[in-house]
Amino acid sequence: MERTLVFDLDGTLVDSVYQHVLAWHGALQRAGIGVSVWRIHRRIGMSGGLFVERLLRETDTEPRPGLADSLRDAHAEIYNELDASVTPLPGARALLQELTDRGVPWAIATSGALRTAGPVLERLGVPEGVPVVTRDQVPYAKPNPDLFLRAMEKLRIDPRHGVVVGDSVWDLLAARQAGMLGVGVLSGGYGEDELNRAGAYRVYEDPEDLRLHLDELCVGRGT
Amino acid sequence: MERTLVFDLDGTLVDSVYQHVLAWHGALQRAGIGVSVWRIHRRIGMSGGLFVERLLRETDTEPRPGLADSLRDAHAEIYNELDASVTPLPGARALLQELTDRGVPWAIATSGALRTAGPVLERLGVPEGVPVVTRDQVPYAKPNPDLFLRAMEKLRIDPRHGVVVGDSVWDLLAARQAGMLGVGVLSGGYGEDELNRAGAYRVYEDPEDLRLHLDELCVGRGT
């Protein structure tokens, strides 16, 4: 069975998780909602809608009309100020190039919106023709499987042949729901055990470490 | 045996770890040194000297005269810009107050320097007379036991009666070397398993969760 890879973006290919975390923290502080930073970190990567809903519930904040939208706007504004410090993770570009060279199809599927994901996709040098699915394109984000299933549709490959690579438990839960294999990376700042418990088949440090172990994922076999 | 508590500061009593992480990341970027943010997160809490040394070694950066000092200065400068967003962690003030009310002696021991720790100590409302040990006061920081041993000296209590409360594996390793019990909190953003493997006797979510379980630590027994 020849496999294909679907990558999460933030924390998996680009080093942007901590900037997103502090941008959400700033947006919540502006709205007068106090949430500990580590709790935001543990929600990052799930759908923005679910994320906001859950934090409001945890902090006993009454949902106000327009609150979710204004939080998302403030997050995008603060994140864009921090964006200059965001770079591809070590080995990310080389990994994607190696997959392309080996003839292994791959795609990107992110819970992020196009307005924040756009600049980092450019920095990553994603070639023309590679499917990129953003939050804007599906009704439900992770841990729902929609993003990954849409990516497999665009690749025209059966999900059972797909491997999800992600840094968060939401990627791994969404992978399981999509019937795909899940592989974790530590570069989003979660503990190895959290990823294992969420069903990671293997956990690597970052894209460079994954690239050195590609054969464990049965991709590009026989080339 | 009546116990006493020695607290780490960043990530344990105040919600400042992610700001410190991004400040170190910015300082390293200014010096032209690229290190993934999660790797910085995993080093936070160890001595600044060890931390810089280790990152330079990991990134194959030639140590230049004055580099460590200029990194520390840039870190302090960037951190102070982010400092306005730093607040006490949930339950931190109530926990310290409850210990004081129960007559349980406590202290704070941080790998941070006084120039960055000063403002958050104020926000925490640490009463006069509580021993506070900063990096400036001991020759070696965590994972060396010096900070915790100095705190116990100031409290005039045998280290074997002391419980270290910290968010990072360096706190727990330093606790073991000091012959003290180590208790972890998740509020610094590390995984529970990482803290358990480093020898945590118990792991709580944050100071509020610890406060609700104080009796598990045998403090203030009989009062």
Side-chain angles (χ1 to χ4, degrees), chain A residues 186-203:
Chain A
L186 297 176
S187 37
Y190 299 92
E192 184 167 355
D193 189 60
E194 296 173 83
L195 301 178
N196 280 324
R197 269 182 287 146
Y201 160 71
R202 293 286 283 152
V203 176

Side-chain angles (χ1 to χ4, degrees), chain B residues 69 71-77 79-80 112-119 136:
Chain B
D69 282 342
L71 286 174
R72 266 193 285 260
D73 288 345
H75 162 263
E77 186 195 323
Y79 175 80
N80 285 331
L114 193 58
R115 62 174 166 175
T116 49
D136 323 77

Side-chain angles (χ1 to χ4, degrees), chain B residues 3-223:
Chain B
R3 292 205 175 274
T4 181
L5 296 181
V6 180
F7 294 94
D8 168 59
L9 183 61
D10 296 298
T12 300
L13 293 174
V14 294
D15 199 4
S16 53
V17 166
Y18 291 75
Q19 288 88 342
H20 274 297
V21 168
L22 281 189
W24 279 114
H25 185 243
L28 289 158
Q29 279 193 330
R30 278 193 200 172
I33 302 165
V35 184
S36 302
V37 183
W38 73 282
R39 291 193 192 273
I40 298 174
H41 188 195
R42 283 334 191 247
R43 303 284 175 268
I44 283 278
M46 75 193 310
S47 126
L50 278 181
F51 169 80
V52 166
E53 223 173 77
R54 169 128 181 205
L55 286 179
L56 297 182
R57 208 168 46 234
E58 277 181 16
T59 55
D60 287 327
T61 307
E62 201 63 47
R64 309 189 280 270
L67 177 60
D69 282 342
S70 75
L71 286 174
R72 266 193 285 260
D73 288 345
H75 162 263
E77 186 195 323
I78 303 173
Y79 175 80
N80 285 331
E81 284 165 26
L82 298 169
D83 176 69
S85 66
V86 173
T87 59
L89 279 159
R93 295 176 65 117
L95 168 63
L96 300 179
Q97 186 60 53
E98 183 159 340
L99 292 173
T100 303
D101 292 348
R102 287 199 194 191
V104 178
W106 56 275
I108 292 176
T110 171
S111 278
L114 193 58
R115 62 174 166 175
T116 49
V120 290
L121 285 169
E122 262 176 56
R123 244 163 278 170
L124 209 49
V126 177
E128 204 69 23
V130 168
V132 175
V133 186
T134 59
R135 178 67 186 88
D136 323 77
Q137 296 171 34
V138 293
Y140 302 105
K142 306 166 195 169
N144 285 289
D146 306 38
L147 281 159
F148 295 135
L149 290 175
R150 178 66 59 87
M152 295 304 289
E153 243 175 71
K154 288 190 175 192
L155 290 165
R156 296 168 187 273
I157 296 176
D158 188 308
R160 287 170 303 173
H161 297 206
V163 180
V164 162
V165 182
D167 68 308
S168 83
V169 297
W170 316 112
D171 293 309
L172 298 165
L173 297 181
R176 289 168 80 164
Q177 295 198 67
M180 298 167 74
L181 207 62
V183 164
V185 284
L186 296 176
S187 38
Y190 298 91
E192 184 166 354
D193 189 60
E194 295 172 81
L195 300 178
N196 279 324
R197 269 181 288 146
Y201 160 73
R202 295 285 286 151
V203 176
Y204 302 100
E205 290 203 338
D206 57 14
E208 178 61 16
D209 188 29
L210 170 58
R211 190 176 72 85
L212 298 174
H213 295 89
L214 263 184
D215 298 319
E216 296 178 3
L217 305 184
C218 318
V219 291
R221 204 168 10 181
T223 61

Side-chain angles (χ1 to χ4, degrees), chain A residues 8-153:
Chain A
D8 168 59
L9 183 60
D10 295 298
T12 300
L13 293 174
V14 294
D15 199 5
S16 53
V17 166
Y18 291 74
Q19 288 88 343
H20 274 296
V21 169
L22 281 190
W24 279 113
H25 185 244
L28 289 158
Q29 279 193 330
R30 276 193 201 174
I33 302 166
V35 184
S36 302
V37 184
W38 73 283
R39 291 192 191 272
I40 299 174
H41 187 194
R42 287 322 192 257
R43 302 285 175 268
I44 282 279
M46 75 193 308
S47 128
L50 279 181
F51 168 81
V52 167
E53 223 173 77
R54 169 125 181 209
L55 285 180
L56 296 183
R57 208 167 48 234
E58 277 181 16
T59 55
D60 286 326
T61 307
E62 201 64 47
R64 313 189 277 270
L67 177 60
D69 281 342
S70 76
L71 286 174
R72 265 192 287 260
D73 288 345
H75 162 263
E77 187 195 322
I78 302 173
Y79 176 79
N80 285 330
E81 284 165 25
L82 299 170
D83 176 71
S85 66
V86 172
T87 59
L89 280 160
R93 295 176 66 119
L95 167 63
L96 301 179
Q97 187 60 52
E98 183 159 339
L99 293 173
T100 303
D101 292 348
R102 287 197 193 193
V104 178
W106 56 275
I108 291 175
T110 170
S111 279
L114 193 57
R115 63 174 164 174
T116 48
V120 288
L121 285 169
E122 260 175 57
R123 244 164 278 170
L124 210 49
V126 177
E128 202 69 22
V130 167
V132 175
V133 187
T134 60
R135 178 69 188 88
D136 323 76
Q137 297 171 34
V138 293
Y140 302 105
K142 306 163 194 171
N144 286 288
D146 306 39
L147 281 159
F148 295 136
L149 291 175
R150 179 65 60 86
M152 294 306 287
E153 243 174 70

